Amino acid sequence: LAALDAPPSSGDVCQSPDPLPADAGVLSGTTVGFTNNYFGAGAGCSTAAGGPDRVYSLDIPAGLMATVTATPVIPADGGAAIDTSLNLVASPAATCDAAPRVCVASGNNGASGQPDTARRVNSTASTQTVFVIVDSAAAAGGAYSLAATLSVPVAGDVCESAGTPFAANTTLTAQTTQGFVDNYTFAGPGCGTSTAPSSRPRPSRPR
């Protein structure tokens, strides 16, 4: 009975996350032994989430962009590395339990053994906490490395820092996507899917 009544282990759910310090180097982690708490489709969420997941909390200061990267680790026995996925969920912790799920960012572009990256800009005036859920479709889970960095978002790189506005009946010249990040790649209603290698948001023109 004591074991049944014990609280979830650190990192198992959003209510008891492991800390993910930004700009602190690379952490080693695994989802082996954890529970598959967060799965299924949802707004902004990766659906590659059938295996056990592990939760971290990350603080993003006002005006900065967090870049989170999970890189699968090849097992010591030489077996195949897992195909990780990342989902970022805004606080409070109860948001993680929403049905359907709601994520503020996700990343699942890399294949098995390849890194996945998710980015989130804090456009508010105070520090924002997000929950970083590392997941995969591997039923047994697997090992990975995890890192989070903070930076000032480049104008036009993400919607929260959209670039130069443009007015009706005008043309912007000398524009480029070179040097920008491929932030928007998932299919969706009304969306084009030819979005590599990078995208550059622009504010909508006045109507």
Side-chain angles (χ1 to χ4, degrees):
L1 291 178
L4 293 176
D5 293 337
S9 61
S10 176
D12 195 52
V13 292
C14 292
Q15 286 77 3
S16 58
D18 288 323
L20 177 59
D23 296 322
V26 178
L27 302 179
S28 296
T30 182
T31 57
V32 175
F34 287 80
T35 306
N36 182 20
N37 296 297
Y38 307 112
F39 54 89
C45 301
S46 167
T47 56
D53 41 60
R54 188 166 179 177
V55 184
Y56 299 81
S57 63
L58 171 64
D59 291 334
I60 309 175
L64 296 186
M65 178 174 69
T67 300
V68 182
T69 301
T71 304
V73 174
I74 298 176
D77 61 7
I82 62 173
D83 183 2
T84 54
S85 67
L86 286 170
N87 284 303
L88 273 55
V89 179
S91 58
T95 309
C96 295
D97 301 318
R101 304 170 70 196
V102 178
C103 302
V104 295
S106 62
N108 187 34
N109 291 331
S112 296
Q114 299 298 313
D116 290 296
T117 298
R119 296 175 178 85
R120 172 64 175 175
V121 174
N122 179 5
S123 56
T124 72
S126 58
T127 297
Q128 181 184 62
T129 298
V130 297
F131 297 101
V132 177
I133 303 175
V134 182
D135 213 326
S136 76
Y144 55 87
S145 64
L146 187 66
T149 59
L150 296 173
S151 61
V152 177
V154 176
D157 192 49
V158 291
C159 293
E160 292 88 344
S161 62
T164 307
F166 66 97
N169 302 316
T170 62
T171 301
L172 294 178
T173 60
Q175 301 297 297
T176 182
T177 58
Q178 292 182 345
F180 289 81
V181 178
D182 183 18
N183 297 297
Y184 307 108
T185 57
F186 290 108
C191 299
T193 55
S194 298
T195 55
S198 54
S199 53
R200 188 174 185 183
R202 292 290 183 187
S204 298
R205 65 186 184 186
R207 294 183 180 274

